[in-house]
Amino acid sequence: MIEPVQLPSPWRDARLTVVVPTYNEAGNLPVLVERLLALPLPGLKVLVADDNSPDGTGEVADKLAIEHPDRIEVVHRAGKEGLGRAYVDGIGRSLDAGADYVAQMDADLSHPPEALPGMLGALLSTQAGVVIGSRYVPGGQLDENWPLYRRALSGWANLYVHTLLRVRIRDLTAGFKIWRADALRDIGLDRVQSNGYSFQVEMHYLATKLGHTILEVPIRFEERRDGISKMTTATKVESALMPFKLRSRHRNLPG
């Protein structure tokens, strides 16, 4: 586990909301929240968007919110509508509540929370609209236990999307990032239509088309510690078709 960067004031006091979509993450969520709240970021809040998890993740999240009423909010959604819809809901609520910066991360402990202060510092010290915690820039790492087929799928997906969309990002499918609130408002969440993991690609594509600088910083990506991957055949099909839809859907945007 890395040591989090100690940011100077007022950077460390930034109003940052971390949006964490969950579905069957009852075992991982308490560990993630503990690590997030231990960060030297007193302005950090956590918004859990739970898609009615049958394993009781929503109830676990509610208990955590009772223990930390000023720092944790829980959104209970009707059912499993997809990662993209959960993020759009959570990000929209975060912006409405006054967050200046919004982070996205998975609940499965694959993304190191301790990297967030450094990512926030990179965002605040540059003109970037978003900072990505990247597996594929120099210094980035993949857990040795990550299955070979997942490595191949991730590498192929990045190459495939990059070839079709010409977006200069090494980790196009990354799900660990921090956004400036004004960049998110410029993108407009009403534009975003992806449901699954292709949500990440659509957000990166829109940010690039609208001229926002995207900065990648290296992280170590860990294999999930508990539960199973949510990747389904339908998700893979949506991801394969998404680049073609994006080019058509957003053809009138500049860039």
Side-chain angles (χ1 to χ4, degrees):
M1 189 181 298
I2 64 173
E3 281 293 320
V5 171
Q6 298 288 332
L7 296 177
S9 184
W11 287 8
R12 68 190 304 272
D13 302 313
R15 292 185 297 179
L16 168 66
T17 297
V18 182
V19 177
V20 183
T22 56
Y23 187 76
N24 288 350
E25 297 289 357
N28 289 321
L29 185 61
V31 180
L32 175 63
V33 167
E34 180 182 6
R35 289 169 64 180
L36 283 170
L37 297 187
L39 295 175
L41 297 173
L44 181 148
K45 295 185 177 181
V46 182
L47 188 151
V48 179
D50 184 66
D51 276 4
N52 196 22
S53 299
D55 75 339
T57 302
E59 290 79 2
V60 171
D62 285 338
K63 290 179 182 178
L64 291 168
I66 291 172
E67 295 172 8
H68 308 280
D70 298 325
R71 302 194 70 184
I72 299 177
E73 178 182 355
V74 184
V75 177
H76 294 281
R77 294 161 50 76
K80 191 176 182 183
E81 301 175 22
L83 183 72
R85 296 303 91 200
Y87 266 129
V88 166
D89 191 352
I91 291 172
R93 290 171 185 265
S94 300
L95 294 176
D96 290 343
D100 294 319
Y101 309 95
V102 179
Q104 298 174 225
M105 69 184 306
D106 293 344
D108 62 6
L109 303 177
S110 59
H111 300 144
E114 293 75 20
L116 279 172
M119 291 168 63
L120 180 60
L123 186 73
L124 291 169
S125 61
T126 65
Q127 298 301 311
V130 57
V131 170
I132 296 172
S134 176
R135 299 163 287 185
Y136 301 129
V137 294
Q141 296 178 312
L142 286 171
D143 191 320
E144 296 81 2
N145 295 319
W146 213 39
L148 182 59
Y149 79 92
R150 292 289 304 278
R151 291 171 180 262
L153 179 62
S154 177
W156 176 85
N158 274 281
L159 177 61
Y160 172 77
V161 175
H162 183 271
T163 301
L164 291 174
L165 297 182
R166 300 295 181 184
V167 178
R168 295 182 179 179
I169 303 173
R170 293 200 181 193
D171 199 345
L172 270 164
T173 59
F176 187 31
K177 66 201 79 170
I178 300 181
W179 295 88
R180 291 184 185 271
D182 56 359
L184 289 167
R185 293 191 179 97
D186 187 37
I187 288 171
L189 296 176
D190 57 323
R191 283 196 180 107
V192 182
Q193 298 183 28
S194 302
N195 291 323
Y197 291 87
S198 55
F199 168 82
Q200 314 293 4
V201 174
E202 184 166 15
M203 291 292 286
H204 295 154
Y205 183 67
L206 286 168
T208 299
K209 290 279 283 185
L210 292 168
H212 293 283
T213 299
I214 299 176
L215 178 65
E216 293 183 84
V217 299
I219 64 160
R220 176 179 169 81
F221 182 89
E222 301 284 349
E223 173 65 318
R224 67 161 44 244
R225 297 185 184 181
D226 188 30
I228 60 174
S229 172
K230 311 301 191 299
M231 183 74 73
T232 65
T233 299
T235 299
K236 294 174 185 176
V237 170
E238 182 197 34
S239 299
L241 295 176
M242 186 52 59
F244 299 100
K245 293 181 178 180
L246 290 180
R247 289 195 304 188
S248 174
R249 183 185 302 159
H250 304 304
R251 61 182 178 275
N252 293 324
L253 289 179

